Amino acid sequence: MNDLNENFPKGPNQSNEDLHIGLKILSFCIPLAGAIIYFVKKDNEPVAAKSACNLALIGLGVNVALTIVRLMTTGS
């Protein structure tokens, strides 16, 4: 089945390139940076913006899970 986004014309300056590996690592390790990258790139580079958003959300989830585990093991 074809991707539904193929039917819509891209904007004049949109790029389908993915996010660079350094920015992916930054988005995962610092979710706020990933959110900022998302809002900066969402209009001109939607694929890169989506990667930054996804990695920021995954990084946030990992951070929350590790914090819960740490609190449960220390008995605080």
Side-chain angles (χ1 to χ4, degrees):
M1 183 172 182
N2 291 337
D3 186 21
L4 296 177
N5 291 333
E6 290 177 355
N7 298 333
F8 297 104
K10 290 190 290 183
N13 294 328
Q14 282 190 350
S15 170
N16 281 333
E17 292 184 21
D18 200 11
L19 200 61
H20 296 287
I21 189 70
L23 292 177
K24 286 183 176 184
I25 293 169
L26 181 68
S27 296
F28 178 78
C29 294
I30 306 172
L32 179 60
I36 292 170
I37 292 169
Y38 169 77
F39 285 110
V40 168
K41 293 186 177 281
K42 71 177 182 170
D43 293 328
N44 295 330
E45 300 177 48
V47 174
K50 185 176 178 182
S51 290
C53 183
N54 288 339
L55 287 166
L57 291 173
I58 292 168
L60 183 64
V62 168
N63 188 6
V64 168
L66 290 175
T67 301
I68 291 171
V69 168
R70 184 181 59 94
L71 289 175
M72 290 175 66
T73 58
T74 59
S76 294

